[in-house]
Amino acid sequence: MEFLDTYQQIVADAITKYTFKDKPAELYDPMNYIISHGGKRLRPIMVLMACDLFGGDMKEAIKPALAIEFFHNFTLIHDDIMDEAPLRRNKPTIHTLHGINTGILSGDGLMLKAYKFFEDLEPEIFKACIRIFTHTGLLLCEGQQYDINFETKEDVTFDDYIRMITYKTGVLSASSFEIGAMIAKANFKDAKAIFNFGKHIGIAFQIMDDYLDVFGDQAQFGKKHAGDIYENKKTVLYLLAREYATEAELKELDFWYSKKTDNIDKVYGVEKIFRRTGVDEKALRLIEKHNEIGQSFLQKIDIDDEKKKPFAELANYLLRRES
Protein backbone atom coordinates (compact mmCIF):
# COMPACT_ATOMS: atom_id res chain seq x y z
CA MET A 1 0.00 0.00 0.00
CA GLU A 2 2.15 2.83 -1.33
CA PHE A 3 -0.31 5.50 -0.23
CA LEU A 4 0.25 4.46 3.41
CA ASP A 5 4.03 4.77 3.03
CA THR A 6 3.56 8.28 1.62
CA TYR A 7 1.42 9.43 4.54
CA GLN A 8 3.73 7.75 7.06
CA GLN A 9 6.69 9.65 5.61
CA ILE A 10 4.80 12.96 5.88
CA VAL A 11 4.07 12.24 9.55
CA ALA A 12 7.64 11.06 10.25
CA ASP A 13 9.09 14.22 8.67
CA ALA A 14 6.74 16.42 10.71
CA ILE A 15 7.67 14.62 13.94
CA THR A 16 11.35 15.22 13.18
CA LYS A 17 10.64 18.87 12.41
CA TYR A 18 8.71 19.40 15.64
CA THR A 19 10.95 17.39 17.99
CA PHE A 20 10.74 18.93 21.47
CA LYS A 21 13.81 20.96 22.36
CA ASP A 22 12.30 22.58 25.46
CA LYS A 23 13.76 22.34 28.98
CA PRO A 24 13.91 20.57 31.37
CA ALA A 25 15.20 17.64 29.34
CA GLU A 26 13.98 15.26 32.07
CA LEU A 27 10.42 16.16 31.03
CA TYR A 28 10.78 16.47 27.27
CA ASP A 29 13.22 13.64 26.50
CA PRO A 30 10.68 10.98 27.57
CA MET A 31 8.07 12.71 25.36
CA ASN A 32 10.43 12.51 22.37
CA TYR A 33 11.27 8.92 23.34
CA ILE A 34 7.72 7.59 22.99
CA ILE A 35 6.92 9.68 19.89
CA SER A 36 10.10 8.47 18.16
CA HIS A 37 9.14 4.81 18.56
CA GLY A 38 6.84 5.23 15.64
CA GLY A 39 4.44 2.36 15.49
CA LYS A 40 2.07 2.63 12.55
CA ARG A 41 1.06 6.24 13.39
CA LEU A 42 -2.39 5.42 12.11
CA ARG A 43 -4.37 8.21 13.71
CA PRO A 44 -2.40 11.14 12.28
CA ILE A 45 -2.55 9.35 8.93
CA MET A 46 -6.34 9.21 9.28
CA VAL A 47 -6.42 13.01 9.71
CA LEU A 48 -4.37 13.50 6.54
CA MET A 49 -6.35 10.93 4.55
CA ALA A 50 -9.70 12.52 5.39
CA CYS A 51 -8.40 16.01 4.63
CA ASP A 52 -7.12 14.73 1.28
CA LEU A 53 -10.38 12.89 0.50
CA PHE A 54 -12.44 16.07 0.82
CA GLY A 55 -10.00 18.24 -1.13
CA GLY A 56 -8.43 20.09 1.80
CA ASP A 57 -4.94 21.57 2.07
CA MET A 58 -2.73 18.89 3.61
CA LYS A 59 -0.33 21.52 4.96
CA GLU A 60 -3.12 22.82 7.22
CA ALA A 61 -3.74 19.30 8.52
CA ILE A 62 -0.16 18.34 9.44
CA LYS A 63 0.02 20.02 12.86
CA PRO A 64 -3.51 18.85 13.89
CA ALA A 65 -2.47 15.35 12.74
CA LEU A 66 0.54 15.56 15.08
CA ALA A 67 -1.80 16.78 17.82
CA ILE A 68 -3.70 13.49 17.49
CA GLU A 69 -0.43 11.54 17.61
CA PHE A 70 0.75 13.43 20.72
CA PHE A 71 -2.60 12.87 22.40
CA HIS A 72 -2.59 9.16 21.51
CA ASN A 73 0.88 8.73 23.01
CA PHE A 74 -0.17 10.63 26.14
CA THR A 75 -2.89 8.01 26.63
CA LEU A 76 -0.38 5.20 26.08
CA ILE A 77 2.01 6.55 28.74
CA HIS A 78 -0.77 6.75 31.33
CA ASP A 79 -2.28 3.44 30.21
CA ASP A 80 1.09 1.71 30.73
CA ILE A 81 1.34 3.19 34.24
CA MET A 82 -2.14 1.94 35.12
CA ASP A 83 -1.43 -1.51 33.68
CA GLU A 84 2.11 -1.62 35.15
CA ALA A 85 3.21 -2.59 31.64
CA PRO A 86 6.98 -3.15 31.17
CA LEU A 87 6.94 -2.92 27.35
CA ARG A 88 5.40 -0.75 24.64
CA ARG A 89 6.29 -1.44 20.99
CA ASN A 90 8.98 -3.82 22.25
CA LYS A 91 10.71 -0.99 24.16
CA PRO A 92 10.75 -0.31 27.91
CA THR A 93 7.84 1.91 28.96
CA ILE A 94 8.53 5.44 30.18
CA HIS A 95 7.59 4.82 33.81
CA THR A 96 9.90 1.77 33.81
CA LEU A 97 12.82 3.94 32.68
CA HIS A 98 12.08 7.25 34.43
CA GLY A 99 9.62 6.47 37.23
CA ILE A 100 5.89 7.04 37.62
CA ASN A 101 6.14 10.76 38.42
CA THR A 102 7.96 11.58 35.17
CA GLY A 103 5.59 9.26 33.31
CA ILE A 104 2.58 11.23 34.55
CA LEU A 105 4.18 14.62 33.84
CA SER A 106 5.44 13.72 30.35
CA GLY A 107 2.01 12.36 29.49
CA ASP A 108 0.39 15.58 30.67
CA GLY A 109 2.94 17.58 28.66
CA LEU A 110 2.08 15.69 25.49
CA MET A 111 -1.63 16.37 25.96
CA LEU A 112 -1.04 20.12 26.41
CA LYS A 113 1.33 20.27 23.43
CA ALA A 114 -1.43 18.58 21.42
CA TYR A 115 -3.82 21.45 22.11
CA LYS A 116 -1.21 23.99 20.98
CA PHE A 117 -0.92 22.23 17.62
CA PHE A 118 -4.44 23.30 16.65
CA GLU A 119 -3.69 27.02 17.09
CA ASP A 120 -2.88 27.78 13.43
CA LEU A 121 -6.37 26.82 12.21
CA GLU A 122 -8.80 29.57 11.23
CA PRO A 123 -11.18 30.45 14.12
CA GLU A 124 -14.32 28.53 13.06
CA ILE A 125 -12.39 25.39 12.11
CA PHE A 126 -10.32 25.69 15.30
CA LYS A 127 -13.47 25.81 17.44
CA ALA A 128 -14.97 22.78 15.66
CA CYS A 129 -11.78 20.72 15.93
CA ILE A 130 -11.18 21.57 19.58
CA ARG A 131 -14.79 20.69 20.40
CA ILE A 132 -14.35 17.26 18.74
CA PHE A 133 -10.91 16.77 20.30
CA THR A 134 -12.00 17.63 23.86
CA HIS A 135 -15.16 15.50 23.68
CA THR A 136 -13.05 12.61 22.39
CA GLY A 137 -10.63 12.98 25.29
CA LEU A 138 -13.45 12.88 27.83
CA LEU A 139 -14.99 9.79 26.23
CA LEU A 140 -11.59 8.13 26.24
CA CYS A 141 -11.26 8.78 29.99
CA GLU A 142 -14.74 7.32 30.51
CA GLY A 143 -13.79 4.26 28.48
CA GLN A 144 -10.61 3.79 30.49
CA GLN A 145 -12.56 4.02 33.76
CA TYR A 146 -15.07 1.45 32.50
CA ASP A 147 -12.12 -0.81 31.63
CA ILE A 148 -10.77 -0.44 35.18
CA ASN A 149 -14.25 -1.03 36.66
CA PHE A 150 -14.64 -4.23 34.66
CA GLU A 151 -11.65 -5.84 36.41
CA THR A 152 -13.68 -6.14 39.60
CA LYS A 153 -17.24 -6.04 38.20
CA GLU A 154 -18.72 -9.51 37.86
CA ASP A 155 -21.69 -8.87 35.57
CA VAL A 156 -20.03 -7.19 32.58
CA THR A 157 -22.25 -7.57 29.50
CA PHE A 158 -21.28 -7.64 25.85
CA ASP A 159 -22.95 -4.23 25.38
CA ASP A 160 -20.86 -2.87 28.30
CA TYR A 161 -17.73 -4.10 26.54
CA ILE A 162 -18.68 -2.56 23.17
CA ARG A 163 -19.40 0.78 24.86
CA MET A 164 -16.04 0.63 26.65
CA ILE A 165 -13.97 -0.08 23.52
CA THR A 166 -15.98 2.45 21.50
CA TYR A 167 -15.02 5.15 24.00
CA LYS A 168 -11.50 3.88 24.64
CA THR A 169 -10.47 3.16 21.04
CA GLY A 170 -13.23 3.69 18.48
CA VAL A 171 -13.84 7.40 18.99
CA LEU A 172 -10.17 8.38 18.59
CA SER A 173 -10.04 6.82 15.12
CA ALA A 174 -13.46 8.29 14.33
CA SER A 175 -12.47 11.77 15.48
CA SER A 176 -9.17 11.63 13.61
CA PHE A 177 -11.10 11.18 10.36
CA GLU A 178 -13.69 13.78 11.38
CA ILE A 179 -11.04 16.40 12.23
CA GLY A 180 -9.41 15.86 8.84
CA ALA A 181 -12.81 16.30 7.20
CA MET A 182 -13.49 19.50 9.18
CA ILE A 183 -10.15 21.01 8.13
CA ALA A 184 -11.14 20.29 4.51
CA LYS A 185 -14.58 21.90 5.16
CA ALA A 186 -16.53 18.76 4.31
CA ASN A 187 -20.31 18.95 4.74
CA PHE A 188 -21.92 17.70 7.97
CA LYS A 189 -23.33 14.49 6.42
CA ASP A 190 -20.00 13.39 4.95
CA ALA A 191 -18.06 14.33 8.10
CA LYS A 192 -20.40 12.16 10.18
CA ALA A 193 -20.17 9.27 7.70
CA ILE A 194 -16.36 9.28 7.86
CA PHE A 195 -16.64 9.53 11.68
CA ASN A 196 -18.82 6.40 11.77
CA PHE A 197 -16.52 4.59 9.37
CA GLY A 198 -13.65 5.32 11.75
CA LYS A 199 -15.65 4.33 14.82
CA HIS A 200 -16.45 0.84 13.55
CA ILE A 201 -12.96 0.27 12.20
CA GLY A 202 -11.68 1.36 15.64
CA ILE A 203 -14.01 -1.12 17.37
CA ALA A 204 -12.83 -3.89 15.06
CA PHE A 205 -9.21 -2.86 15.67
CA GLN A 206 -9.65 -3.15 19.47
CA ILE A 207 -11.30 -6.56 19.16
CA MET A 208 -8.29 -7.58 17.05
CA ASP A 209 -6.03 -6.21 19.81
CA ASP A 210 -7.81 -8.41 22.36
CA TYR A 211 -7.46 -11.38 20.01
CA LEU A 212 -3.73 -10.79 19.39
CA ASP A 213 -3.05 -10.43 23.11
CA VAL A 214 -3.70 -14.17 23.42
CA PHE A 215 -3.48 -15.61 19.91
CA GLY A 216 -1.00 -13.27 18.18
CA ASP A 217 2.70 -13.63 17.42
CA GLN A 218 4.09 -12.07 20.59
CA ALA A 219 7.48 -11.25 19.05
CA GLN A 220 5.64 -8.98 16.59
CA PHE A 221 2.91 -7.80 18.96
CA GLY A 222 5.42 -6.11 21.24
CA LYS A 223 3.52 -6.61 24.49
CA LYS A 224 3.57 -9.14 27.29
CA HIS A 225 1.80 -12.33 26.18
CA ALA A 226 -1.73 -12.67 27.60
CA GLY A 227 -1.38 -9.44 29.58
CA ASP A 228 -5.17 -9.08 29.55
CA ILE A 229 -5.55 -12.42 31.32
CA TYR A 230 -3.01 -11.45 33.99
CA GLU A 231 -4.89 -8.16 34.50
CA ASN A 232 -8.36 -9.82 34.67
CA LYS A 233 -9.54 -7.73 31.70
CA LYS A 234 -13.07 -8.55 30.62
CA THR A 235 -12.19 -8.66 26.93
CA VAL A 236 -14.33 -9.99 24.09
CA LEU A 237 -12.56 -13.36 24.45
CA TYR A 238 -13.54 -13.62 28.11
CA LEU A 239 -17.16 -12.59 27.47
CA LEU A 240 -17.57 -14.99 24.55
CA ALA A 241 -15.98 -17.78 26.58
CA ARG A 242 -18.51 -17.22 29.38
CA GLU A 243 -21.33 -17.39 26.86
CA TYR A 244 -20.24 -20.77 25.48
CA ALA A 245 -18.51 -22.36 28.49
CA THR A 246 -19.72 -25.41 30.38
CA GLU A 247 -20.58 -25.10 34.07
CA ALA A 248 -17.18 -26.51 35.03
CA GLU A 249 -15.41 -24.06 32.70
CA LEU A 250 -17.37 -21.14 34.16
CA LYS A 251 -16.23 -22.14 37.66
CA GLU A 252 -12.63 -22.29 36.47
CA LEU A 253 -12.91 -18.85 34.82
CA ASP A 254 -14.39 -17.42 38.02
CA PHE A 255 -11.55 -18.94 40.02
CA TRP A 256 -8.78 -17.49 37.84
CA TYR A 257 -10.41 -14.08 37.42
CA SER A 258 -10.86 -13.72 41.18
CA LYS A 259 -7.11 -13.18 41.58
CA LYS A 260 -4.54 -10.93 39.93
CA THR A 261 -1.47 -13.08 39.57
CA ASP A 262 1.44 -13.76 37.22
CA ASN A 263 0.89 -17.49 37.72
CA ILE A 264 1.54 -19.17 34.36
CA ASP A 265 -1.07 -21.81 35.27
CA LYS A 266 -3.69 -19.04 35.13
CA VAL A 267 -2.76 -18.14 31.55
CA TYR A 268 -2.61 -21.79 30.53
CA GLY A 269 -5.97 -22.59 32.15
CA VAL A 270 -7.80 -19.59 30.67
CA GLU A 271 -6.26 -20.06 27.20
CA LYS A 272 -7.41 -23.69 27.23
CA ILE A 273 -11.00 -22.58 27.90
CA PHE A 274 -10.75 -19.91 25.19
CA ARG A 275 -9.67 -22.55 22.66
CA ARG A 276 -12.28 -25.09 23.72
CA THR A 277 -15.10 -22.56 23.39
CA GLY A 278 -13.84 -21.41 19.96
CA VAL A 279 -13.69 -17.74 20.92
CA ASP A 280 -10.78 -17.12 18.54
CA GLU A 281 -12.99 -17.77 15.49
CA LYS A 282 -15.96 -15.96 17.04
CA ALA A 283 -13.84 -12.86 17.70
CA LEU A 284 -12.58 -12.85 14.11
CA ARG A 285 -16.19 -12.96 12.87
CA LEU A 286 -17.04 -9.94 15.06
CA ILE A 287 -14.08 -8.07 13.57
CA GLU A 288 -15.41 -8.75 10.09
CA LYS A 289 -18.90 -7.62 11.11
CA HIS A 290 -17.70 -4.21 12.31
CA ASN A 291 -15.49 -3.85 9.26
CA GLU A 292 -18.57 -4.36 7.07
CA ILE A 293 -20.57 -1.77 9.05
CA GLY A 294 -17.70 0.69 8.70
CA GLN A 295 -17.47 0.09 4.96
CA SER A 296 -21.22 0.73 4.62
CA PHE A 297 -20.72 4.24 6.09
CA LEU A 298 -17.82 4.81 3.70
CA GLN A 299 -20.11 4.05 0.77
CA LYS A 300 -22.54 6.79 1.90
CA ILE A 301 -19.96 9.52 1.27
CA ASP A 302 -20.79 11.36 -1.93
CA ILE A 303 -17.33 11.15 -3.52
CA ASP A 304 -15.95 9.08 -6.37
CA ASP A 305 -15.38 5.43 -5.34
CA GLU A 306 -11.80 5.51 -6.60
CA LYS A 307 -10.92 8.17 -4.00
CA LYS A 308 -12.50 6.07 -1.24
CA LYS A 309 -10.54 2.94 -2.16
CA PRO A 310 -7.53 3.68 0.14
CA PHE A 311 -9.90 3.82 3.14
CA ALA A 312 -11.28 0.35 2.42
CA GLU A 313 -7.73 -0.91 1.85
CA LEU A 314 -6.55 0.64 5.13
CA ALA A 315 -9.37 -1.04 7.07
CA ASN A 316 -8.70 -4.43 5.50
CA TYR A 317 -4.96 -4.05 6.16
CA LEU A 318 -5.46 -3.12 9.83
CA LEU A 319 -7.79 -6.02 10.46
CA ARG A 320 -5.53 -8.64 8.95
CA ARG A 321 -2.47 -7.67 10.96
CA GLU A 322 -0.30 -9.95 13.07
CA SER A 323 0.90 -7.19 15.40
Side-chain angles (χ1 to χ4, degrees), residues 77-112:
I77 294 171
H78 285 198
D79 204 30
D80 288 339
I81 291 170
M82 286 184 256
D83 289 346
E84 299 176 9
L87 292 176
R88 167 71 62 182
R89 299 166 183 153
N90 275 325
K91 303 271 188 185
T93 47
I94 284 178
H95 70 276
T96 304
L97 292 173
H98 302 284
I100 289 174
N101 291 345
T102 294
I104 292 168
L105 283 172
S106 58
D108 292 347
L110 273 176
M111 179 184 68
L112 294 166

Side-chain angles (χ1 to χ4, degrees), residues 80-145:
D80 288 339
I81 291 170
M82 286 184 256
D83 289 346
E84 299 176 9
L87 292 176
R88 167 71 62 182
R89 299 166 183 153
N90 275 325
K91 303 271 188 185
T93 47
I94 284 178
H95 70 276
T96 304
L97 292 173
H98 302 284
I100 289 174
N101 291 345
T102 294
I104 292 168
L105 283 172
S106 58
D108 292 347
L110 273 176
M111 179 184 68
L112 294 166
K113 284 285 189 181
Y115 271 95
K116 286 186 69 62
F117 268 49
F118 286 103
E119 288 175 355
D120 292 347
L121 295 172
E122 59 184 80
E124 284 306 309
I125 302 297
F126 172 81
K127 278 166 63 179
C129 289
I130 287 295
R131 186 173 63 247
I132 295 164
F133 187 67
T134 303
H135 183 59
T136 298
L138 286 168
L139 287 179
L140 198 143
C141 290
E142 291 175 21
Q144 182 69 2
Q145 186 62 55

